[in-house]
């Protein structure tokens, strides 16, 4: 085995642990015209739920007789048939079909065949593990000596999960073998840690201090040992962490890992030192444990952590601010609304909102979010807008109205979220200003050769504002909303057009407007244009024709909503709903569940 290169400042072990354990996943802002989400998808569109039309539930059905065919294929000599049969059984289990549990015996029998092809054996083992076939543990265990690394990586974690006793002896034996592969050694450590096998602790401790072992193996040994011993490793950790220079980072990472389950006074003191380590991977492990013991232990380090370049450490500081709230800490939380990492600022925003649910902190949370709303940092503006909207703080609408102008802050996060906030807070006094903004924005877009901002950004903001207008049935906006009805292939504005048509239905609910009905019926019937009308717009046209009781459109509505049964086609359902509204009929009964047979199965009866 290779020796550890102590000259590497950030070892493979440090990087691997940091990526897999410490570093949080990064959420992204989607700038797709058809798939807009602001960070964690708070932006919604109620027009798709008013009215809330029923859609049949889809309950996939297991094909009758398919399992028998798969079992026959499993008995065939062709390896590819066996693999496909086993894979089909695993897929069926993942889809929730319990019928395949009956195949466990046949799978075990096939696994035990002495001349089974390795690829087929792996597929069969995978099926058994997927089916959580604990009864197959002896057969799976017998395959390990002759199986390759793929089989071991599949089977051994399952044996650990099932706590299959004979596997413990194998893993203990493997720890002492000099020629074992690193992958097999890691599997043994992980298995012994999972089953809490105390007999492995002494050997794992030896491996932690064995310099000839590769760095990642020493780190893995420390991880396993920390799961087995929750006390008594403080001296070992201090010895390993003696070198504070950059070359000592790998061993300090091992030392911090050793104490992940410790909580005594000495361990806390060591962890507090590790929490100030210049290597973020070391510090993050220590801070995480201190928070678990008592968040107050991290409070003295908050200033340093909040200013740290590492996002994980800032995230841990936000956790402490949330768990130990105070007026000062709420201010620091609000500052994190402008954090450069999306996960950190979202975490801070959620913390503020959750604290504001407590009467003691509501006023402070609103004050701090309002402070950030007055800044000119786009990240803070987006998150503060969400906070104040979710707290229903209506005085914020004045600032939201200012943020509607893309020239002020050229970021879609601010531009669109402000429109959403105005709709959610629903202050009717804002309707004239909002209507003027929609009118000006749309006219400018339609007459402009350039697109600044891009059309999709305008589309999603205006869609929110049009729904705000519609929710309040603001009749003075009628002419502005009607300008969205005609189709423009060069400026699609599909979401905003759908919202405008929906809003017109809200305004003219119960009052037929013949000229508008003719336009909407034309849009509903445009299925062969180049391009055809967007389904969202056609859906809203059907709803609005129904709300306006546009009897002249019944023939067209019946064309796309034949019969009186709800389907999975939302436009058809909208037409059915509209016909019932126009004729004054009761709606059809709730739909029965659809029970399709998936078409991607391997071998189904004809």
């Amino acid at each position: 085995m290779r020796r550890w290169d102590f000259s590497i400042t950030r070892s493979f072990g440090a990087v691997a642990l940091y990526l897999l354990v410490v570093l949080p996943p990064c959420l992204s802002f989607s700038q797709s015209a058809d798939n807009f989400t602001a960070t964690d998808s708070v932006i919604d569109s109620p027009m798709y739920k008013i009215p809330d039309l029923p859609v049949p539930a889809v309950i996939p059905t297991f094909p009758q007789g398919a399992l028998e065919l798969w079992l026959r294929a499993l008995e065939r000599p062709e390896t590819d048939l066996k693999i496909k049969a086993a894979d089909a059984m695993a897929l069926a289990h993942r889809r929730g079909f319990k019928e395949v549990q009956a195949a466990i015996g046949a799978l075990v029998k096939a696994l035990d065949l002495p001349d089974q092809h390795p690829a087929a054996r792996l597929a069969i083992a995978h099926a058994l593990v997927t089916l959580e076939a604990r009864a197959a543990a002896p057969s799976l265990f017998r395959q390990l000596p002759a199986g390759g690394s793929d089989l071991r990586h599949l089977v051994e974690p399952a044996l650990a999960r099932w706590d299959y006793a004979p596997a413990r002896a194998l893993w203990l034996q493997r720890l002492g073998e000099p020629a074992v592969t690193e992958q097999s050694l890691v599997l043994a450590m992980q298995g012994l840690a999972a089953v809490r096998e105390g007999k492995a602790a002494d050997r794992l401790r030896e491996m932690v201090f064995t310099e000839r072992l590769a760095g990642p193996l020493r780190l893995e040994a420390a991880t396993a040992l920390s799961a087995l011993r929750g006390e008594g490793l403080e001296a070992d950790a201090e010895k390993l962490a003696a070198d504070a220079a950059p070359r000592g980072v790998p061993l300090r990472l091992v030392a911090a890992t050793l104490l992940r389950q410790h909580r005594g006074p000495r361990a806390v003191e060591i962890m507090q030192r590790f929490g100030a380590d210049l290597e973020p991977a070391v510090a993050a492990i220590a801070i995480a444990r201190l928070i678990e013991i008592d968040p107050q232990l991290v409070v003295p380090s908050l200033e340093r952590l909040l200013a740290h370049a590492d996002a994980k450490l800032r995230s841990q500081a936000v956790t402490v601010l949330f768990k130990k709230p105070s007026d000062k800490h709420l201010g620091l939380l609000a500052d994190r609304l402008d954090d450069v990492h999306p996960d950190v600022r979202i975490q801070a925003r959620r913390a503020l909102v959750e604290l504001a649910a407590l009467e003691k902190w509501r006023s402070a949370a609103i004050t701090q979010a309002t402070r950030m709303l007055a800044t000119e940092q786009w990240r803070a503006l987006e998150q503060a807008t969400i906070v104040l909207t979710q707290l229903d703080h209506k005085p914020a609408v004045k600032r939201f109205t200012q943020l509607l102008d893309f020239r002020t802050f050229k970021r879609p996060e601010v531009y669109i979220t402000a429109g959403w906030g105005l709709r959610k807070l629903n202050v009717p006094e804002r309707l004239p200003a909002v209507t003027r903004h929609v009118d000006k924005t749309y006219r400018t877009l339609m007459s402009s050769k350039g697109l600044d901002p891009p059309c999709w950004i305008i589309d999603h903001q205006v869609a929110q504002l049009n729904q705000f207008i519609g929710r309040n049935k603001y009749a003075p906006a009628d002419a502005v909303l009607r300008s969205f009805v005609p189709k423009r292939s060069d400026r699609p504005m599909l979401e905003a057009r759908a919202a405008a048509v929906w809003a017109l239905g809200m305004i003219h609910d119960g009052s037929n407007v013949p000229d508008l009905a003719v336009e909407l019926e034309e849009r509903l019937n445009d299925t062969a244009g180049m391009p055809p009308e967007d389904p969202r717009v056609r859906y809203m046209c059907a709803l609005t024709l129904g709300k306006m009781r546009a009897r002249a459109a019944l023939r067209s509505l019946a064309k796309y909503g034949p019969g009186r049964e709800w389907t999975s086609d939302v436009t058809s359902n909208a037409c059915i709903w509209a016909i019932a509204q126009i004729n004054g009929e009761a709606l059809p009964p709730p739909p029965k569940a659809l029970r399709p047979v998936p078409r991607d199965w391997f071998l189904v009866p004809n």
Side-chain angles (χ1 to χ4, degrees):
M1 295 182 181
R2 65 182 182 277
R3 295 178 62 85
W4 201 346
D5 184 359
F6 283 89
S7 67
I8 300 176
T9 301
R10 192 175 289 236
S11 71
F12 170 84
V15 175
L17 186 72
Y18 196 57
L19 291 177
L20 297 179
V21 179
V22 178
L23 189 66
C26 179
L27 299 177
S28 65
F29 184 96
S30 171
Q31 295 191 359
S32 160
D34 296 318
N35 186 28
F36 166 73
T37 55
T39 54
D40 55 349
S41 300
V42 298
I43 307 295
D44 62 335
S45 287
M47 64 182 177
Y48 295 111
K49 290 294 184 180
I50 303 175
D52 192 3
L53 302 182
V55 176
V58 178
I59 304 176
T61 303
F62 189 72
Q64 187 175 3
L67 184 58
E68 289 76 7
L69 288 177
W70 300 349
L71 291 173
R72 286 167 58 187
L74 192 65
E75 295 174 350
R76 294 285 302 173
E78 295 87 352
T79 298
D80 60 334
L81 287 180
K82 295 180 179 182
I83 292 172
K84 289 179 180 179
D87 288 346
M89 295 176 194
L91 176 62
H93 179 82
R94 290 196 298 272
R95 288 179 172 174
F97 296 116
K98 304 300 183 183
E99 292 88 341
V100 290
Q101 291 290 327
I104 288 177
L107 286 167
V108 172
K109 180 181 178 181
L111 183 69
D112 286 338
L113 291 176
D115 57 346
Q116 191 66 269
H117 191 281
R121 181 178 290 110
L122 181 63
I124 294 166
H126 174 261
L128 288 166
V129 170
T130 301
L131 268 62
E132 286 292 318
R134 292 173 179 263
S139 294
L140 291 167
F141 181 71
R142 286 195 295 269
Q143 308 303 322
L144 293 178
S149 61
D150 287 343
L151 185 71
R152 289 195 297 274
H153 276 84
L154 172 69
V155 170
E156 293 193 27
L159 297 177
R161 195 165 61 248
W162 302 335
D163 196 6
Y164 183 64
R168 295 186 180 217
L170 172 66
W171 294 329
L172 286 169
Q173 177 185 343
R174 196 181 292 169
L175 289 188
E177 293 177 355
V180 67
T181 66
E182 291 186 6
Q183 290 181 339
S184 296
L185 197 55
V186 168
L187 285 171
M189 294 178 193
Q190 293 175 344
L192 292 166
V195 300
R196 299 292 192 269
E197 178 52 74
K199 295 178 181 179
D202 290 341
R203 176 56 184 152
L204 289 170
R205 182 178 177 276
E206 291 177 11
M207 297 172 74
V208 165
F209 284 96
T210 302
E211 293 187 7
R212 69 175 182 274
L213 283 184
L217 290 180
R218 296 176 74 176
L219 182 62
E220 196 69 55
T223 302
L225 182 57
S226 71
L228 301 180
R229 285 190 178 174
E231 58 182 17
L233 297 176
E234 293 89 346
D236 291 339
E238 288 190 306
K239 182 178 179 181
L240 289 164
D243 190 350
R247 66 177 180 272
V249 166
L251 286 181
R252 297 203 302 277
L253 187 64
V254 171
T257 301
L258 278 180
L259 303 183
R260 287 174 71 175
Q261 304 298 325
H262 285 49
R263 62 182 309 115
R266 186 180 177 191
V268 167
E269 187 272 328
I270 296 171
M271 280 292 192
Q272 286 178 319
R273 293 205 310 268
F274 288 165
D277 199 282
L278 294 178
E279 170 54 50
V282 176
I285 294 172
I287 296 297
R289 182 55 183 159
L290 291 172
I291 292 174
E292 291 173 350
I293 296 171
D294 182 0
Q296 184 63 38
L297 295 169
V298 185
V299 170
S301 305
L302 279 176
E303 183 177 351
R304 174 179 55 81
L305 294 175
L306 289 169
H308 205 284
D310 185 80
K312 178 59 181 179
L313 292 176
R314 298 198 306 276
S315 173
Q316 290 176 323
V318 168
T319 297
V320 175
L321 293 173
F322 171 68
K323 290 180 176 292
K324 306 298 290 185
S326 66
D327 288 332
K328 177 182 177 181
H329 286 183
L330 262 71
L332 294 173
L333 266 180
D335 290 341
R336 286 302 101 202
L337 297 179
D338 192 44
D339 197 279
V340 295
H341 197 291
D343 280 359
V344 178
R345 58 182 183 265
I346 290 170
Q347 180 190 5
R349 181 244 297 167
R350 290 175 173 170
L352 276 177
V353 172
E354 190 168 342
L355 288 173
L358 305 173
E359 189 60 33
K360 179 178 180 181
W361 301 116
R362 180 175 176 83
S363 178
I366 289 175
T367 298
Q368 293 300 335
T370 302
R371 173 174 65 85
M372 300 306 291
L373 189 67
T375 68
E376 296 187 357
Q377 285 78 45
W378 70 265
R379 299 179 184 90
L381 290 170
E382 179 200 20
Q383 299 302 321
T385 297
I386 297 173
V387 170
L388 294 171
T389 299
Q390 292 180 335
L391 297 182
D392 197 31
H393 184 62
K394 297 190 185 299
V397 295
K398 182 178 180 180
R399 178 61 167 158
F400 290 1
T401 307
Q402 295 172 351
L403 299 178
L404 293 178
D405 191 343
F406 191 76
R407 294 171 299 179
T408 305
F409 297 99
K410 293 194 173 186
R411 294 293 307 200
E413 296 90 341
V414 177
Y415 186 75
I416 297 173
T417 306
W420 168 81
L422 281 167
R423 175 184 66 76
K424 294 284 285 185
L425 290 181
N426 194 36
V427 176
E429 290 77 10
R430 291 284 122 184
L431 286 167
V434 164
T435 302
R436 289 193 296 271
H437 173 78
V438 170
D439 186 31
K440 179 182 177 182
T441 300
Y442 191 64
R443 289 179 183 275
T444 302
L445 176 67
M446 291 300 133
S447 62
S448 174
K449 293 183 179 180
L451 291 178
D452 187 20
C455 187
W456 75 265
I457 298 177
I458 301 173
D459 188 23
H460 285 284
Q461 187 206 68
V462 174
Q464 292 293 321
L465 299 178
N466 285 348
Q467 291 177 81
F468 173 39
I469 293 169
R471 175 182 178 182
N472 289 276
K473 301 184 177 183
Y474 186 59
D478 178 77
V480 173
L481 294 171
R482 288 201 194 197
S483 65
F484 287 84
V485 176
K487 181 174 66 176
R488 282 282 299 270
S489 57
D490 59 334
R491 302 287 193 271
M493 295 289 285
L494 300 175
E495 194 77 7
R497 289 180 61 224
V501 173
W502 177 84
L504 286 167
M506 298 291 285
I507 292 171
H508 298 296
D509 193 359
S511 301
N512 189 16
V513 184
D515 59 331
L516 176 58
V518 169
E519 282 193 85
L520 297 181
E521 186 178 2
E522 180 183 348
R523 296 295 88 233
L524 176 64
N525 284 316
D526 183 5
T527 58
M530 294 298 290
E533 184 58 88
D534 186 78
R536 288 167 288 184
V537 177
R538 296 182 63 240
Y539 174 69
M540 297 305 167
C541 285
L543 293 181
T544 297
L545 288 168
K547 289 181 179 180
M548 295 195 311
R549 314 298 192 267
R551 185 165 296 276
L554 276 172
R555 180 174 296 180
S556 294
L557 291 167
K559 178 181 177 182
Y560 302 109
R564 285 179 52 80
E565 287 192 13
W566 305 108
T567 72
S568 56
D569 184 338
V570 293
T571 302
S572 175
N573 290 348
C575 291
I576 291 171
W577 180 89
I579 292 170
Q581 298 300 305
I582 294 170
N583 291 333
E585 302 168 346
L587 291 174
K592 296 180 180 179
L594 301 177
R595 298 182 180 274
V597 175
R599 297 180 179 274
D600 57 346
W601 293 118
F602 163 68
L603 285 183
V604 293
N606 187 353

